[in-house]
Amino acid sequence: MHPILVRIGPMDLHSFGLMMALAWLAASVYLDAHFRQAGYPREAVSSLILWVLGGALIGARLLYLAVEYPSWTDDV
């Protein structure tokens, strides 16, 4: 797999980012259908999906900071 799929001016479309976005979209569609079948309101499902996405992004950034912190302090 190519790391960079498309270059448009100064922007790059990375294959990892595209696959992550497609996975999030597929999970969102699946959860929406599953929860609607169970009788939950659509607004609650949409809200849940956005909160989980926000939490995942914040958690991933905090993990990255925790793992890479020693390399930043070595450069000082």
Side-chain angles (χ1 to χ4, degrees):
M1 183 167 25
H2 300 288
I4 297 175
L5 296 176
V6 178
R7 285 199 166 127
I8 303 172
M11 283 187 9
D12 296 336
L13 177 61
H14 294 267
S15 57
F16 181 77
L18 178 66
M19 292 301 138
M20 290 296 290
L22 288 175
W24 178 77
L25 181 64
S28 298
V29 169
Y30 172 77
L31 286 175
D32 184 46
H34 184 71
F35 279 116
R36 272 197 289 146
Q37 186 179 20
Y40 289 97
R42 190 171 201 149
E43 296 81 25
V45 177
S46 299
S47 180
L48 173 69
I49 290 169
L50 288 176
W51 277 103
V52 168
L53 177 65
L57 290 173
I58 291 170
R61 179 54 66 182
L62 289 174
L63 178 63
Y64 174 77
L65 291 174
V67 169
E68 293 298 321
Y69 183 74
S71 68
W72 294 338
T73 57
D74 291 343
D75 292 340
V76 175

